[in-house]
Amino acid sequence: MFVQDSSSIVYRQLSTADGKVFSVPEFILRVDEAGFSGWQLRYGEWTDFADQPGADGRAEALQRAVEEMLERVEYRGK
């Protein structure tokens, strides 16, 4: 199995409309539309991770997206 060093992934700071700041990997985008709020992983197939209910719902969804991204990078390489 090919193992990729995940330290090669570039992160950027993203601020939401309410001022919350997230460190977001290069393959993940924030989507805030009428029918969906969450994170979209764009590595291989595009996958949406909807915000979870509660105060940390966006962070939880981002964490799930990052975990999936890291699995894909490990499997496919960067």
Side-chain angles (χ1 to χ4, degrees):
M1 171 180 268
F2 179 82
V3 178
Q4 175 70 32
D5 179 10
S6 62
S7 66
S8 65
I9 296 171
V10 177
Y11 283 73
R12 68 193 184 288
Q13 296 297 307
L14 184 138
S15 297
T16 59
D18 64 357
K20 179 119 177 164
V21 178
F22 294 91
S23 181
V24 182
E26 61 187 308
F27 302 117
I28 297 177
L29 302 176
R30 179 74 189 160
V31 179
D32 285 307
E33 297 177 348
F36 177 78
S37 289
W39 303 94
Q40 187 174 71
L41 172 58
R42 293 184 175 186
Y43 189 80
E45 63 187 60
W46 291 12
T47 307
D48 293 331
F49 295 85
D51 292 346
Q52 299 299 299
D56 294 329
R58 288 179 290 187
E60 291 172 15
L62 178 57
Q63 180 61 38
R64 289 191 349 264
V66 169
E67 289 170 0
E68 178 65 24
M69 180 201 69
L70 292 174
E71 288 180 17
R72 292 180 189 186
V73 167
E74 183 177 330
Y75 175 73
R76 297 178 179 170
K78 180 174 181 238

